[in-house]
Amino acid sequence: MRVLFSEHLVLGLFLVGGYVKPDLQNSFLLMFMRMLFVVPLMASLTFKLYPSALKEFRELFSRKRTDVLIQALGCGVLMFVYIASLYIAIGLIPTGIAMTVFFTYPVFTALLAWRFFGDRPTLLGWLVMGIILVGGVLTIPQSSAVSGTNEIMIGIFASVGAGIVYAFYNIIAQKCLEKFHPVPFTWISFASTLLLSGVCLLLWPFPSSQLDWTPLWIGSIFSGVVSFIGHTLNNLGIRMIGATTASMIGSSSPALTALVAWATISETLNVIQSLGIGIVTLGIGLLSGEGFIRRRSNL
C-alpha cells in the first residue's frame, strides 16, 4: 500500500508508485477496491471452511441472537475505521514505523479488558506495556525535507488511532466469538467494510479521470490476497493452537514489516527507530507470553 501512495524503487529495479495522495478519500477508494475482491473470495470459501455458516447467518436475525448481530456489525464498523486510519498512516510515514506504532494496540487491549472484563494486568504486565510504549515513542521519525512535521504528526496520530480502534475491535470480537464462529464473523467484518467504504465514496466522489486504474487494481488485488490469506491463517491458527499462541507468533509482525519494506522498497530506519521496533516486538511477545503463563497457572 505504501507504493500506491508514494513513489519508490521496488527491488532496486522499477521506479513505481505515487498514484494517489495519502488522504481519507483515497483510503476509502483503496479499501473499497481491496474488499471488492476479498469479500466474494471469502464468501466462496466460507461454506467450505465452515459448512454450518448459512445456518448461523440465519440464526443471527432471530431475537435471541440480536446481541451477536449487533456485535458482529459493530466490529465491521471498527474494522472500517482502523483500516482507513492505517492507510493514511502508511501513506505519510514509513511502513515499518506505521505498523510498529499500530502494534502497540495490545496495550490498549489489555486496558480495555481490565475495564470491561475485570482482567487486571499484573505488575509484569504493567512493566511490559510500558516497554511497548517506550519502543513506540523511539520509532517516531524526525521531520525532513521530504516529510514535514505536520505529515509526521498526522501519520503517528493515525497509527495510534488505528491501534486504539483495533483494540476495541478485539474486545468486542472476543465477546462475539463466544457465540459466533470466526469464519462467518470475519466475512461480516469484511462485508461491512466494503459497504461502508462504498457509501463514503458515493457521498464523497473523486475525479476518476485523473487516476491510473491499472496499478491501483493490481495493488488492491495483491493487498486483498495477502489480507485474505492472513485472516484465514489467523483464524485457523486460533482454532488449532489457541489465540494466545497465535498472538505470540504474530508479535513478530512489526519487525517483519520493517524487514520487508527495507528489502522491497528500500525504506531505511536509523538505529534508534530500529531499536524501537525491536523493543515493541519484544514487548508484544512478552505481553502475550505473560498472558499464556497466567492462564496456565489458573488451570
Side-chain angles (χ1 to χ4, degrees):
M1 299 308 297
R2 174 73 172 172
V3 173
L4 297 179
F5 287 122
S6 58
E7 193 174 67
H8 285 83
L9 187 66
V10 178
L11 299 176
L13 300 174
F14 309 102
L15 187 63
V16 296
Y19 303 111
V20 291
K21 295 180 179 179
D23 55 26
L24 193 59
Q25 184 182 19
N26 287 319
S27 294
F28 293 151
L29 173 62
L30 294 178
M31 196 187 316
F32 179 80
M33 295 172 68
R34 174 185 178 182
M35 292 301 173
L36 196 61
F37 174 79
V38 173
V39 171
L41 177 62
M42 191 163 188
S44 65
L45 295 178
T46 293
F47 300 108
K48 294 181 180 179
L49 295 172
Y50 183 56
S52 300
L54 182 59
K55 179 182 178 181
E56 288 213 25
F57 278 131
R58 290 174 178 174
E59 290 177 349
L60 277 181
F61 295 94
S62 64
R63 291 185 178 180
K64 295 181 180 179
R65 306 276 284 180
T66 302
D67 58 333
V68 179
L69 177 61
I70 293 175
Q71 290 167 357
L73 293 176
C75 284
V77 174
L78 293 175
M79 175 180 278
F80 165 76
V81 174
Y82 89 72
I83 291 178
S85 301
L86 195 55
Y87 277 9
I88 293 175
I90 291 173
L92 294 175
I93 58 178
T95 309
I97 294 175
M99 292 303 296
T100 300
V101 175
F102 168 73
F103 265 87
T104 60
Y105 75 83
V107 174
F108 306 113
T109 302
L111 294 175
L112 290 172
W114 180 24
R115 170 64 178 83
F116 292 105
F117 301 137
D119 190 8
R120 182 185 179 89
T122 63
L123 180 60
L124 177 60
W126 284 112
L127 178 61
V128 172
M129 286 190 284
I131 291 174
I132 292 174
L133 292 178
V134 169
V137 171
L138 290 177
T139 63
I140 297 177
Q142 302 296 319
S143 60
S144 63
V146 178
S147 298
T149 303
N150 289 337
E151 287 187 359
I152 291 174
M153 292 308 298
I154 292 173
I156 293 298
F157 279 122
S159 291
V160 174
I164 294 174
V165 173
Y166 188 64
F168 276 99
Y169 174 92
N170 281 339
I171 292 298
I172 298 176
Q174 178 179 331
K175 193 69 176 177
C176 183
L177 291 174
E178 292 175 357
K179 304 177 181 177
F180 197 41
H181 194 274
V183 172
F185 169 81
T186 305
W187 185 87
I188 288 177
S189 295
F190 282 173
S192 299
T193 301
L194 173 64
L195 177 62
L196 290 172
S197 57
V199 170
C200 288
L201 287 176
L202 290 176
L203 297 176
W204 193 358
F206 56 91
S208 58
S209 59
Q210 300 177 6
L211 298 179
D212 192 349
W213 288 105
T214 301
L216 287 180
W217 275 114
I218 293 174
S220 297
I221 291 175
F222 178 77
S223 174
V225 170
V226 173
S227 176
F228 169 76
I229 294 174
H231 279 83
T232 302
L233 291 178
N234 183 63
N235 287 336
L236 292 175
I238 290 174
R239 169 177 276 185
M240 294 173 65
I241 61 178
T244 301
T245 307
S247 67
M248 292 176 67
I249 296 174
S251 67
S252 61
S253 293
L256 289 176
T257 301
L259 181 62
V260 171
W262 169 77
T264 56
I265 58 179
S266 302
E267 280 192 351
T268 57
L269 304 172
N270 60 37
V271 175
I272 295 178
Q273 290 169 340
S274 300
L275 177 62
I277 291 176
I279 290 174
V280 171
T281 302
L282 176 62
I284 296 171
L286 289 174
L287 189 61
S288 300
E290 189 266 345
F292 175 75
I293 294 172
R294 186 169 53 176
R295 288 182 179 86
R296 287 291 299 271
S297 63
N298 292 332
L299 293 178

